[in-house]
Amino acid sequence: MKTFPDDVKFRFKWRPYQARVLSELREHMDDERLHVVAAPASGKTVLGIEVARRINGPTLVLAPTLAIRDQWVQRLEELFLPPGAKTPDWVSYDLSRPSFFTVSTYQLLHSVMKKEEPEPEPEEEPESPPQERKDPATFFVEDDAVDVEDTDTDLDEDEKQERKAFDWLNQKKTNYRNAPIPDLAPMLLQIGIKTVVLDEAHHLRSSWWKSLTTLIDELGDIRLLALTATPPYDVPPAEWDRYMALCGPVDAEISVPELVRVKNLCPHQDLVAFSSPSHEEAAEITTFRREVAFLLENLPVNDSFLGFLRSHKWVQNSDAHIDQILDEPDLFTSMLVYLHHIGETIPQSALDLIADSSLEIPEFNLEWLEVLLTGIFYPRSGKRPKFKSEIEDIRNKLRSMRAIERRKVFLRNPLFIEKILKRSISKMDSIVDIANAEFSSYGDNLRMVVLSDYIRKEYLPSAKDTSPELNKMGVVPIFEALRRANFSGIKLGILTGSLIVIPSESEELFRNLAFERGISGNDMEFESVPGADTYQIVKVLSHDKHKMVRVVTEFFSTGGINILVGTKSLLGEGWDAPSINSLVISSVVGSFMLSNQMRGRAIRIQPENPNKTANIWHLVCIEPDSHNPGPDYRTMVRRFRAFVGVSQHETIIENGFGRLNTGEPPFSKEEIWEVNEQIFQRSIKRSEMSVDWDTALGDEDKEVRLIEDVMFSKVQLPSSIVKTNTTASSVSWPIAILLSSLILLFSPLPLWQFFIYLNLAVESFLTLFFILLTVFCIGLCFIPLYKDEIVSHRYLWRIFRFPSFRSIAYFFRHASVKRSLKNVGNAVLQALFYSGELTTHWTEYTLQVEESEEGTVYCNIKNANRREQSIFLQALQDVLNPVEEPRYLLRLESSPIFGKKRIDYFAVPEIFGIRKENAADFQEMWKKFVFPMDLIFTRNPKGRLVLLKARIKSRSVLKGTRSKMLTRWK
């Protein structure tokens, strides 16, 4: 079989954006690649099948999970085959026996390519472990990475087995244990493979990527289709280059607002339910905070500790230990910051290494103390230092406080507090409140799904009249909390890989739906939940398990269940249940990829319900009355960078947590209650939410799209620096000429006659003005004659040799923060073009800068694709954010005529720092548009000393101010 049968064709009407992509298919495929970025629920699978059908040859489809793999065959059967047709024999799940249309997973492909026994299939992509304390990468994940929860010792045995095994919904697996593993590429070439489809290509681990690229190279002349909802725009350049080499440039993008506008996604809103730690959880946190405060109070009176810092060789003899200091600059800086904080005099030689004056030393805080104590107790050399008993007591105290984790001191949010807040039992109460509010609003039409990380079967009642204490979050505890709330009329259910629970009153409906899917009553067992006779545990024979998700999904959609609780692993990605009108994400996941996929479950349209709207609920536990509300809050803020919706400030569509208008921390308990009350009131106003979407989307005839802006504060811009360095030259230059001309013209006169002339001139202001103007012009004419007489004065020489008219141009270019940012943007844009990072000439782009009433400025570029926008905005952020660890710096040392010497720094963006030539290009563009500055290489001893000062100066001036990414529909 070499082509699709004639009766295989799409049996419905194409959506407008799908039709657009298909109409441009020939143009997009000119490089044998089609790369489509589309929001969840946009019909990527259907589009992929149609593209493969039009290429019309043997096809290999690869997906990240078995559930998503199975969707490809389901969509083929439902939408492309004649009504009533079953899975054709030319469809294969088996890579050892590929057929005309073969569907498999990246994990299985990797195993076959490596000729290894298949490893457990992944249900989702792991996140970086929490100890890394950084945003997880969203594309290439190292092979030894683990899920953020896999390190939890609370994981029950059922879940451990479930995670180790293949997806429980897996259809018949190929047993490679006793069979030779054939070479895949020759078999695919033999059947004439023409198309390879990569579904959710962002899932590729580094090992999977290597196996896949090896296969692609062996296949040679094939067409490749890459589909994703979350491309890895924020990965390092090298990883993006690998991704682009495989998938090709992005050919088509379909955003959430565009899909809502054409009625392919429903209007929706993100809502947050705040909670504060329970009494027991709060007591643990309060105890820790008190111990930290006590430690902070007693450190200055600890003579041994203070003596250790005072007499430290780095402090007392800095010049002799510069190499060691440069190996641990943060530790050295933290020493000086702490000594300055407690009023100690810092030796000038030490101070000179980090700042030009003590005024630039950063303010002391717990972050600096963490750096200081970590560096003292756990030096990079690995050699354990010997301390006096008083200092050892500090380390022992930190251990007892649980403030030391993996050879690092945490005084703000140690891991145990992070776990307390993220898994706070108070979130259970939030879920109950949400269920009550949603059921009161929707009644029996409520279709709510709650996604959690764990199952925790042990919380099911084991016998009648037993109710385990619900002290951990998970599927079963959430189900039990809702059941015990005893809401009248609500039907609850559970769907996980190893547990299905349904209401007893809906058992007959469940049996009928199962029978329609080919599962007879003899293949199922129903067992009452002990102590909860109104609910049944459903057990299904293993060979029918793969059918049960569809059965439970239909059961949920038809009203057999109002609230379904499940795991994010099973239901968080790829699960299709359009009837969902309320989603509660109780998972701790904060990554762009996974949170966006989970959210996508609820925003799909429901054809039989054209007025569908959806609420997406997010749970966050915060510390009351704290400016640092905790890691759970930070996770939520990070999560919201990926979501766009209608802002509560004004009727526009944008991303970010700020659009919810919940205010800024700290929040008191009363304020938490008030914010929640406002949010719950907002949740029931679904009709108003639909109207807001229509208003924000605007007229369909008006060309608008989703634009990424980067937002800066005016203190980040170079306008004040330019003004400082140009004012003296621009103003003092004509004044100096005027004064020197007056002196030269009137020097032959006696002093008393000079004052007579001056007195006469003062009597008439207009006369004085014309006299001074005449003298100034005469002075300009005679500059070549008398210049030698004044060059001995170093200040005047500086004035005359400085290109003053150019300095005036610099001054006016940065007269406002808006114009200043535009010039910085032009410098970055042209440098990107000349360094080869942008293939289109820079004149083809349109730089847009807006200024708010508060002085905040926004910047973006038009006529650029998503990747070009991302490169530009990241470079712009690099240069204006606080200096961190750039390879190159821009440095300006200025000596104004009046005042003290000033030194300013800006980081050369990382994308230019890779090659010296590119850094020099950026320096030249900076000189052209901003101001001349020196280029400093920071990877040699001299440059590292400059970098040390630059970081302190940057922190002092910007005070932690950073740019923010904002996505807006405009």
Side-chain angles (χ1 to χ4, degrees):
M1 181 174 174
K2 297 298 182 182
T3 61
F4 280 90
D6 293 337
D7 59 352
V8 176
K9 58 184 177 179
F10 187 61
R11 297 188 285 109
F12 301 91
K13 183 179 179 180
W14 290 112
R15 298 171 183 175
Y17 54 85
Q18 292 173 326
R20 184 185 76 235
V21 174
L22 292 171
S23 66
E24 300 169 350
L25 185 60
R26 185 183 299 274
E27 177 185 344
H28 293 323
M29 294 292 292
D30 58 357
D31 60 350
E32 307 297 332
R33 298 285 192 273
L34 176 62
H35 189 179
V36 178
V37 175
S42 58
K44 293 189 296 294
T45 304
V46 178
L47 186 63
I49 295 173
E50 177 64 16
V51 170
R53 191 188 72 83
R54 294 191 181 193
I55 295 174
N56 205 14
T59 300
L60 171 65
V61 177
L62 297 168
T65 69
L66 290 161
I68 297 177
R69 179 204 68 178
D70 292 347
Q71 277 192 8
W72 281 82
V73 178
Q74 292 168 12
R75 295 293 182 272
L76 179 67
E77 293 175 359
E78 296 168 352
L79 305 178
F80 287 84
L81 298 182
K86 295 184 179 180
T87 304
D89 56 7
W90 44 267
V91 171
S92 172
Y93 293 97
D94 189 352
L95 283 180
S96 67
R97 289 186 292 272
S99 187
F100 177 80
F101 193 83
T102 308
V103 289
S104 188
T105 63
Y106 296 118
Q107 175 65 62
L108 191 56
L109 171 71
H110 175 64
S111 299
V112 170
M113 293 295 291
K114 295 297 182 182
K115 298 184 181 295
E116 299 171 348
E117 183 177 345
E119 298 177 5
E121 295 278 4
E123 293 182 349
E124 62 184 2
E125 196 65 358
E127 286 194 85
S128 300
Q131 61 267 28
E132 293 183 6
R133 305 286 176 142
K134 62 183 180 181
D135 290 353
T138 58
F139 180 48
F140 293 108
V141 180
E142 294 303 320
D143 298 336
D144 58 352
V146 295
D147 193 289
V148 66
E149 302 296 348
D150 283 345
T151 57
D152 187 0
T153 56
D154 297 334
L155 206 62
D156 61 46
E157 286 303 318
D158 287 328
E159 289 173 275
K160 289 178 182 177
Q161 293 302 319
E162 183 175 346
R163 293 189 181 199
K164 290 179 181 178
F166 279 72
D167 189 319
W168 71 284
L169 298 172
N170 186 22
Q171 299 184 15
K172 184 177 180 181
K173 308 181 187 70
T174 303
N175 184 4
Y176 292 95
R177 186 179 300 276
N178 299 315
I181 300 177
D183 290 330
L184 179 59
M187 290 191 297
L188 292 174
L189 289 171
Q190 186 176 0
I191 65 173
I193 187 76
K194 291 184 68 174
T195 307
V196 174
V197 181
L198 309 180
D199 194 13
E200 302 296 359
H202 58 271
H203 271 280
L204 287 169
R205 297 182 185 179
S206 59
S207 57
W208 297 354
W209 175 83
K210 293 173 186 175
S211 296
L212 179 59
T213 52
T214 299
L215 176 65
I216 298 297
D217 291 341
E218 292 178 0
L219 294 179
D221 185 22
I222 54 102
R223 280 78 170 174
L224 188 140
L225 168 59
L227 304 170
T228 181
T230 51
Y233 290 121
D234 54 351
V235 298
E239 293 184 1
W240 174 262
D241 289 343
R242 291 196 294 182
Y243 178 83
M244 290 294 286
L246 180 65
C247 302
V250 176
D251 294 295
E253 293 186 67
I254 305 165
S255 67
V256 167
E258 181 180 358
L259 294 171
V260 175
R261 172 183 261 186
V262 298
K263 311 299 182 185
N264 290 134
L265 289 180
C266 72
H268 53 276
Q269 61 182 345
D270 292 287
L271 303 165
V272 174
F274 288 94
S275 64
S276 56
S278 66
H279 179 73
E280 294 78 10
E281 294 166 343
E284 271 194 84
I285 296 173
T286 301
T287 299
F288 178 80
R289 302 293 184 214
R290 286 175 180 169
E291 289 174 334
V292 170
F294 183 79
L295 173 70
L296 199 59
E297 182 181 347
N298 283 273
L299 273 182
V301 297
N302 187 319
D303 293 335
S304 296
F305 182 75
L306 195 55
F308 171 80
L309 292 182
R310 283 192 190 124
S311 60
H312 198 283
K313 59 186 180 181
W314 290 4
V315 175
Q316 293 302 322
N317 194 8
S318 303
D319 293 339
H321 300 90
I322 286 180
D323 289 342
Q324 294 176 357
I325 289 171
L326 291 177
D327 285 339
E328 299 186 71
D330 285 343
L331 173 58
F332 175 68
T333 305
S334 68
M335 291 179 178
L336 302 191
V337 169
Y338 182 72
L339 289 172
H340 180 262
H341 169 69
I342 62 176
E344 290 288 321
T345 301
I346 301 174
Q348 191 63 40
S349 60
L351 178 62
D352 287 343
L353 291 180
I354 69 166
D356 296 319
S357 74
S358 59
L359 296 177
E360 293 182 356
I361 295 180
E363 184 178 350
F364 175 76
N365 53 31
L366 286 180
E367 182 179 3
W368 281 116
L369 187 56
E370 288 175 347
V371 174
L372 177 61
L373 296 178
T374 298
I376 290 174
F377 293 137
Y378 303 101
R380 290 185 182 178
S381 63
K383 296 179 181 179
R384 178 170 178 169
K386 294 181 179 179
F387 296 116
K388 292 183 179 180
S389 59
E390 293 87 350
I391 299 180
E392 281 293 342
D393 288 343
I394 297 174
R395 175 155 50 184
N396 294 334
K397 177 61 177 175
L398 291 170
R399 283 177 179 150
S400 67
M401 292 164 53
R402 293 180 286 175
I404 294 180
E405 304 163 11
R406 305 173 189 90
R407 295 174 58 86
K408 188 174 181 181
V409 175
F410 292 97
L411 299 176
R412 293 168 297 165
N413 292 301
L415 184 58
F416 84 91
I417 288 184
E418 185 172 335
K419 286 184 177 182
I420 285 175
L421 294 175
K422 287 188 174 183
R423 306 174 189 177
S424 174
I425 200 65
S426 65
K427 293 183 179 181
M428 203 92 72
D429 295 331
S430 296
I431 295 173
V432 172
D433 292 339
I434 292 169
N436 186 26
E438 293 284 47
F439 189 72
S440 298
S441 173
Y442 248 84
D444 195 52
N445 291 323
L446 176 65
R447 300 293 182 269
M448 188 168 98
V449 170
V450 184
L451 297 179
S452 186
D453 295 311
Y454 297 125
I455 301 174
R456 303 203 192 280
K457 288 183 183 178
E458 67 273 18
Y459 284 87
L460 278 174
S462 58
K464 195 171 184 179
D465 300 327
T466 62
S467 298
E469 180 185 358
L470 305 179
N471 53 15
K472 289 183 180 179
M473 290 291 290
V475 171
V476 174
I478 292 171
F479 170 83
E480 276 294 289
L482 293 170
R483 185 184 67 82
R484 296 178 192 180
N486 200 25
F487 295 126
S488 176
I490 291 185
K491 291 168 285 187
L492 308 174
I494 290 176
L495 175 58
T496 74
S498 57
L499 180 64
I500 299 175
V501 177
I502 65 170
S504 299
E505 64 182 278
S506 304
E507 181 181 333
E508 184 177 353
L509 173 62
F510 187 87
R511 287 181 179 274
N512 292 337
L513 292 173
F515 181 78
E516 292 176 6
R517 288 292 173 186
I519 305 175
S520 67
N522 295 329
D523 296 329
M524 297 184 293
E525 295 180 0
F526 293 82
E527 177 184 315
S528 294
V529 176
D533 296 339
T534 54
Y535 288 94
Q536 304 279 337
I537 298 175
V538 182
K539 298 181 179 180
V540 187
L541 296 180
S542 59
H543 65 269
D544 284 326
K545 282 187 175 181
H546 69 276
K547 304 175 183 177
M548 288 308 298
V549 161
R550 297 181 73 177
V551 172
V552 176
T553 301
E554 293 175 11
F555 181 63
F556 169 70
S557 299
T558 53
I561 296 173
N562 298 123
I563 301 177
L564 181 64
V565 189
T567 57
K568 73 174 190 298
S569 301
L570 185 62
L571 307 181
E573 180 175 2
W575 180 52
D576 190 6
S579 61
I580 299 173
N581 50 36
S582 182
L583 174 70
V584 180
I585 303 176
S586 66
S587 167
V588 300
V589 168
S591 73
F592 170 77
M593 180 185 69
L594 292 178
S595 53
N596 198 42
Q597 290 289 347
M598 285 190 288
R599 187 171 175 268
R601 301 313 97 203
I603 62 179
R604 297 169 183 264
I605 59 168
Q606 187 179 11
E608 60 271 24
N609 180 16
N611 296 320
K612 176 194 169 181
T613 59
N615 286 336
I616 301 108
W617 291 89
H618 309 264
L619 311 178
V620 58
C621 181
I622 62 175
E623 288 188 63
D625 304 311
S626 173
H627 288 277
N628 177 18
D632 201 32
Y633 184 84
R634 291 198 304 274
T635 297
M636 191 64 54
V637 171
R638 185 176 74 231
R639 181 187 288 180
F640 267 73
R641 294 174 193 165
F643 308 149
V644 295
V646 180
S647 171
Q648 296 300 315
H649 292 285
E650 55 181 319
T651 312
I652 61 172
I653 297 170
E654 61 183 9
N655 73 334
F657 192 72
R659 68 180 171 84
L660 298 187
N661 197 23
T662 60
E664 296 291 332
F667 301 105
S668 65
K669 286 190 175 182
E670 293 74 18
E671 288 172 329
I672 292 174
W673 186 87
E674 291 173 1
V675 169
N676 280 342
E677 188 66 22
Q678 294 172 7
I679 290 174
F680 277 101
Q681 287 297 320
R682 192 183 303 163
S683 71
I684 64 177
K685 299 177 181 178
R686 296 198 177 216
S687 58
E688 293 182 17
M689 179 242 294
S690 294
V691 172
D692 288 343
W693 267 99
D694 290 338
T695 303
L697 287 168
D699 190 347
E700 289 189 16
D701 297 330
K702 183 180 178 182
E703 184 180 353
V704 290
R705 60 173 183 153
L706 213 54
I707 297 293
E708 274 196 335
D709 283 321
V710 62
M711 180 175 67
F712 296 98
S713 167
K714 60 182 179 181
V715 300
Q716 293 176 263
L717 301 175
S719 54
S720 63
I721 298 170
V722 173
K723 290 175 182 177
T724 299
N725 285 278
T726 57
T727 298
S729 181
S730 302
V731 177
S732 62
W733 181 75
I735 292 175
I737 291 178
L738 179 63
L739 291 177
S740 60
S741 300
L742 286 170
I743 292 171
L744 291 172
L745 288 174
F746 288 99
S747 57
L749 297 175
L751 186 62
W752 63 271
Q753 290 184 351
F754 173 75
F755 282 110
I756 290 175
Y757 284 114
L758 186 61
N759 183 58
L760 291 174
V762 171
E763 290 180 1
S764 171
F765 177 79
L766 187 61
T767 303
L768 176 62
F769 173 77
F770 281 112
I771 289 175
L772 293 177
L773 180 61
T774 302
V775 171
F776 178 75
C777 293
I778 294 171
L780 285 177
C781 296
F782 281 91
I783 280 177
L785 300 178
Y786 59 72
K787 181 177 178 182
D788 290 340
E789 299 180 21
I790 60 175
V791 295
S792 60
H793 196 294
R794 60 190 181 94
Y795 289 129
L796 290 181
W797 169 237
R798 180 185 296 273
I799 290 168
F800 281 116
R801 73 183 178 91
F802 190 88
S804 299
F805 289 108
R806 180 178 293 180
S807 73
I808 294 173
Y810 285 133
F811 183 91
F812 283 105
R813 281 181 179 178
H814 297 269
S816 68
V817 293
K818 181 177 178 179
R819 295 182 68 177
S820 185
L821 180 58
K822 189 165 187 177
N823 280 285
V824 174
N826 276 320
V828 171
L829 187 61
Q830 292 195 28
L832 285 171
F833 171 73
Y834 288 119
S835 62
E837 295 296 337
L838 299 180
T839 55
T840 305
H841 194 273
W842 63 269
T843 55
E844 298 297 321
Y845 303 104
T846 302
L847 186 65
Q848 293 186 315
V849 179
E850 301 174 21
E851 182 178 359
S852 69
E853 294 180 357
E854 298 79 18
T856 302
V857 280
Y858 305 86
C859 184
N860 64 69
I861 52 171
K862 290 184 66 177
N863 307 326
N865 61 40
R866 185 74 176 271
R867 178 56 182 171
E868 291 170 336
Q869 290 180 32
S870 180
I871 291 174
F872 170 76
L873 295 180
Q874 183 59 58
L876 199 60
Q877 287 181 292
D878 286 350
V879 74
L880 295 179
N881 275 344
V883 175
E884 297 295 342
E885 293 287 344
R887 285 177 58 84
Y888 288 91
L889 274 174
L890 293 176
R891 180 177 183 267
L892 174 63
E893 182 175 346
S894 53
S895 297
I897 294 177
F898 304 104
K900 190 177 179 181
K901 178 177 71 174
R902 170 173 174 165
I903 303 178
D904 295 288
Y905 307 89
F906 287 95
V908 173
E910 180 182 357
I911 198 166
F912 301 122
I914 299 173
R915 298 175 65 241
K916 183 178 180 179
E917 293 81 359
N918 292 350
D921 286 340
F922 178 73
Q923 180 197 22
E924 190 62 30
M925 292 302 104
W926 189 266
K927 175 183 177 181
K928 177 181 177 181
F929 289 99
V930 184
F931 203 74
M933 297 182 76
D934 297 325
L935 185 66
I936 307 294
F937 181 60
T938 66
R939 295 302 187 261
N940 56 36
K942 183 178 179 181
R944 286 158 67 193
L945 284 173
V946 175
L947 178 59
L948 186 57
K949 277 194 174 184
R951 293 176 65 187
I952 297 300
K953 175 79 173 183
S954 178
R955 292 181 184 182
S956 173
V957 172
L958 299 182
K959 300 186 184 301
T961 303
R962 301 187 68 87
S963 60
K964 295 180 181 179
M965 293 295 296
L966 189 66
T967 304
R968 295 187 290 173
W969 176 260
K970 60 181 182 179

